[in-house]
């Protein structure tokens, strides 16, 4: 096949001023980046981590298990809404944004413009053209202390490359990564330390290393719970 297509990220970052922890991914699957949404599947959520193909991305299930297990039935209902796509998109996005805001979480992807090969959803088939201007959001959200990358192989590497374009070095202290965000327009003020943590990918591809879905999910939930609870 070997076809390449230039795509833009379809969603605006959700990083309110009150955000303390940011979940940072790469880019949605190809069908989400299409100018029209006719390619979306019935159970796709038209938002970050909304893919329902080959199982579905587990990020939202994991976050609700950690922060709001009493709302899991509501999460299931919001995923299965049977209303017109435009109305469904608005309802679903508002639902997830309200959830994120309750727990001082933000969500974004590091890629703004990119080349995708063969319509693949694999990060290995994506080549960055332009990164999200992340530092501007970090300046806007003064309480943001931690960035969670949803993969080591690409998201973490692309974050490192982006920071390099801003003359910011990604550093390591023992087992923890971090960078120092310079004070904006005032070099006399101290830099702000931003921790960088790596989450195991919530994508269904990780399921291949486990005997069944339950063991895969339980392993992810344990690791996610430890990371999110440690970084309150």
């Amino acid at each position: 096949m070997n076809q390449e297509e230039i795509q833009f990220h379809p969603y605006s970052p959700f990083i309110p001023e009150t955000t303390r922890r940011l979940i940072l991914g790469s880019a949605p699957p190809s069908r989400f980046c299409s100018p029209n949404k006719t390619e979306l599947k019935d159970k796709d959520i038209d938002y970050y981590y909304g893919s329902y193909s080959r199982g579905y991305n587990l990020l939202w299930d994991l976050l609700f298990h950690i922060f709001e297990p009493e709302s899991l039935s509501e999460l299931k209902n919001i995923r299965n809404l049977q209303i017109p796509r435009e109305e469904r998109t608005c309802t679903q996005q508002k639902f997830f944004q309200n959830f994120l805001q309750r727990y001082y979480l933000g969500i974004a992807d590091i890629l703004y413009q990119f080349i995708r090969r063969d319509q693949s959803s694999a990060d290995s088939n994506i080549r960055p053209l332009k990164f999200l201007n992340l530092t501007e959001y970090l300046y806007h959200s003064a309480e943001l202390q931690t960035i969670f990358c949803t993969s080591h192989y690409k998201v973490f590497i692309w974050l490192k490359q982006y920071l390099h374009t801003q003359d910011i070095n990604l550093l390591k202290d023992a087992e923890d990564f971090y960078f120092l965000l310079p004070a904006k327009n005032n070099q006399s003020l101290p830099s702000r330390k931003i921790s960088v943590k790596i989450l195991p990918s919530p994508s269904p591809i990780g399921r291949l290393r486990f005997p069944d879905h339950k063991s895969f999910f339980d392993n992810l939930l344990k690791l996610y719970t430890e990371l999110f609870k440690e970084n309150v």
Side-chain angles (χ1 to χ4, degrees):
M1 196 172 176
N2 206 24
Q3 294 180 344
E4 292 189 338
E5 179 184 2
I6 295 177
Q7 294 183 333
F8 289 86
H9 199 287
Y11 309 122
S12 298
F14 182 74
I15 311 176
E17 282 187 60
T18 55
T19 300
R20 296 175 186 169
R21 296 175 290 181
L22 173 65
I23 299 164
L24 187 68
S26 54
S30 184
R31 66 185 182 277
F32 289 81
C33 300
S34 172
N36 57 59
K37 301 293 183 177
T38 56
E39 298 176 30
L40 293 183
K41 302 178 186 300
D42 284 344
K43 289 191 176 183
D44 280 341
I45 295 168
D46 187 12
Y47 201 46
Y48 290 95
Y49 299 92
S51 174
Y52 203 84
S53 61
R54 293 186 302 138
Y56 61 93
N57 196 291
L58 295 172
L59 179 78
W60 295 115
D61 291 66
L62 292 164
L63 294 178
F64 272 81
H65 269 85
I66 294 168
F67 292 102
E68 214 168 278
E70 68 278 8
S71 299
L72 284 168
S73 59
E74 194 174 355
L75 172 63
K76 182 179 179 180
N77 292 337
I78 207 75
R79 179 176 279 126
N80 294 311
L81 284 177
Q82 297 300 312
I83 55 178
R85 170 62 73 180
E86 186 174 347
E87 184 181 352
R88 190 190 333 171
T89 292
C90 183
T91 301
Q92 289 173 331
Q93 290 187 3
K94 193 65 179 174
F95 174 80
F96 289 115
Q97 289 172 356
N98 286 340
F99 168 81
L100 292 167
Q101 201 154 14
R102 283 198 293 276
Y103 300 100
Y104 307 101
L105 297 170
I107 198 163
D109 284 337
I110 190 62
L111 301 183
Y112 174 76
Q113 184 186 27
F114 43 92
I115 296 175
R116 190 189 299 270
R117 188 169 69 244
D118 298 338
Q119 297 187 330
S120 171
S121 60
D123 286 347
S124 57
N125 286 321
I126 296 176
R127 189 163 75 251
L129 291 177
K130 187 175 181 180
F131 293 117
L132 173 71
N133 191 7
L134 182 60
T135 53
E136 287 304 308
Y137 290 94
L138 297 179
Y139 286 126
H140 177 71
S141 302
E143 300 298 316
L144 205 159
Q145 305 169 24
T146 307
I147 295 174
F148 290 103
C149 295
T150 58
S151 82
H152 186 281
Y153 174 55
K154 285 295 185 181
V155 178
F156 178 79
I157 292 172
W158 286 334
L159 172 62
K160 185 177 181 180
Q161 290 175 354
Y162 164 74
L163 292 173
H164 183 72
T165 68
Q166 305 298 302
D167 296 321
I168 298 174
N169 293 320
L170 190 60
L171 307 169
K172 190 175 183 182
D173 180 9
E175 295 302 315
D176 295 325
F177 293 97
Y178 69 95
F179 61 91
L180 299 175
L181 182 70
K184 189 174 184 180
N185 301 325
N186 191 338
Q187 299 303 315
S188 64
L189 293 176
S191 298
R192 186 165 123 223
K193 183 177 180 180
I194 308 288
S195 297
V196 178
K197 307 288 182 179
I198 300 169
L199 295 169
S201 173
S203 165
I205 197 169
R207 159 76 173 79
L208 299 175
R209 298 186 294 106
F210 292 85
D212 51 48
H213 177 80
K214 184 179 185 304
S215 58
F216 172 50
F217 184 84
D218 288 348
N219 178 71
L220 282 180
L221 182 59
K222 178 177 181 293
L223 295 172
Y224 273 56
T225 301
E226 289 172 356
L227 282 167
F228 277 98
K229 295 301 184 184
E230 284 174 4
N231 295 273
V232 177

